[in-house]
Amino acid sequence: MSAYELRKNALVKAATGEKREIEYPRKADGSPKYPSEIYGENVFTLKTMAKALPKPIFSSFLKQRRGRQNLDKTTADSIAHAVRVWAMDRGATHYTHWFQPQTGATAEKHDAFLSLLSSFTPGGEEVTPIDQFSGSQLLQSEPDASSFPSHRMHTTFECELSSMSILYILLVFISYNGDALDKKTGLLQSNEVLLCTVVELVNLLELDAHVEHVYTTLGTEQEFFLVDCMMYALQPDLKIMGCMLVGQLPPWHQQLEDHYFGHIPSCMMYMISELELECLCLGIPIKTHHNEV
């Protein structure tokens, strides 16, 4: 079969193939849930933590979060226990420390909550299965030397639950010397410098303000290109390099409806709907859909 026929079959299948059906969560009476009801339901938030922890432990964590005291082992273990129970109640069986190295990829390693506790009696060894997750496992992890031979360490930031029953612990990736080895560390450091500068500026402009802290917000815009899987398989340059090296311009550009306010193809809307549902559960709002040309 020629390359032309392969591309033609791929286009026909993309246009006439079976579409993905997205089932939005529903209430007990069968009516669909509002987006506000499912927003952030798979994120272990401060509100969730406050309900799960004793008040003294939660207060201690808030002081540590503001930088007023170090996180002690008791508080860390309590938070780890609350996170594990919350995640396992939602079907999670594994956890992973997830980060974004400067290579442009992502990295993760899955570990199970299940552990085996051995005890020895006159009758022999007895093995008891238990589910456990300690504060040290939550806060910090060191990867295998075979994967990262320079002995690097990553540190925890917050937790999310994916649809694959895995607890994702979002963290930074640094060396023992404190050098940033990921993309998030630099962002956090830049944000800290910005906060300190704004506090100084506000106190200079308003001498009676006595501002000690400010909060930054960020509105993101994510642009992406969708390529059908069969068309992707026919492009070795796209698979290897991540970009098109061979091809030609389309026969038209914005002459028809391929523009900013144009109709979004149904196959793309199926994909966006599935992505939007997952983003809502992870506390990521998607406000606008539109073509980008």
Side-chain angles (χ1 to χ4, degrees), residues 63-205:
K63 292 179 181 179
Q64 181 275 333
R65 193 168 182 260
R66 300 187 188 105
R68 297 180 180 176
Q69 69 180 41
N70 294 328
L71 183 64
D72 57 90
K73 187 178 185 302
T74 301
T75 303
D77 288 339
S78 299
I79 295 175
H81 175 76
V83 169
R84 180 185 63 81
V85 172
W86 171 83
M88 295 189 70
D89 286 344
R90 286 161 176 74
T93 57
H94 292 70
Y95 67 92
T96 179
H97 292 89
W98 188 69
F99 58 97
Q100 298 82 38
Q102 294 181 357
T103 58
T106 60
E108 59 187 85
K109 179 185 68 172
H110 301 167
D111 292 304
F113 292 121
L114 179 65
S115 299
L116 300 179
L117 181 63
S118 297
S119 59
F120 296 90
T121 63
E125 180 185 7
E126 293 184 1
V127 178
T128 304
I130 60 173
D131 297 308
Q132 65 178 8
F133 186 49
S134 67
S136 60
Q137 291 174 314
L138 172 66
L139 293 176
Q140 186 170 286
S141 177
E142 185 174 358
D144 296 334
S146 59
S147 301
F148 297 98
S150 55
H151 303 291
R152 299 162 184 172
M153 187 176 296
H154 32 283
T155 306
T156 295
F157 184 65
E158 58 187 25
C159 303
E160 294 180 346
L161 190 68
S162 75
S163 59
M164 299 177 290
S165 299
I166 299 172
L167 175 68
Y168 276 77
I169 305 170
L170 312 184
L171 44 79
V172 298
F173 188 46
I174 60 176
S175 69
Y176 281 130
N177 296 326
D179 298 324
L181 303 174
D182 68 328
K183 296 182 177 180
K184 188 172 185 178
T185 301
L187 176 63
L188 295 177
Q189 292 172 340
S190 300
N191 186 65
E192 189 65 26
V193 173
L194 177 63
L195 295 182
C196 294
T197 305
V198 173
V199 168
E200 293 178 2
L201 177 61
V202 172
N203 288 322
L204 286 175
L205 295 176

Side-chain angles (χ1 to χ4, degrees), residues 4-5 13 17 36 42 44 47 49 57 63 75 81 84 91 96 130 135 143 149 162 190 234 246 258 271 274 277 281:
Y4 171 78
E5 292 175 334
K13 187 172 181 179
S36 59
N42 287 342
F44 190 78
K47 184 182 296 185
M49 184 185 297
I57 298 294
K63 292 179 181 179
T75 303
H81 175 76
R84 180 185 63 81
T96 179
I130 60 173
S162 75
S190 300
L234 296 175
V246 180
D258 190 20
M271 175 269 170
E274 186 174 2
L277 176 59
C281 294

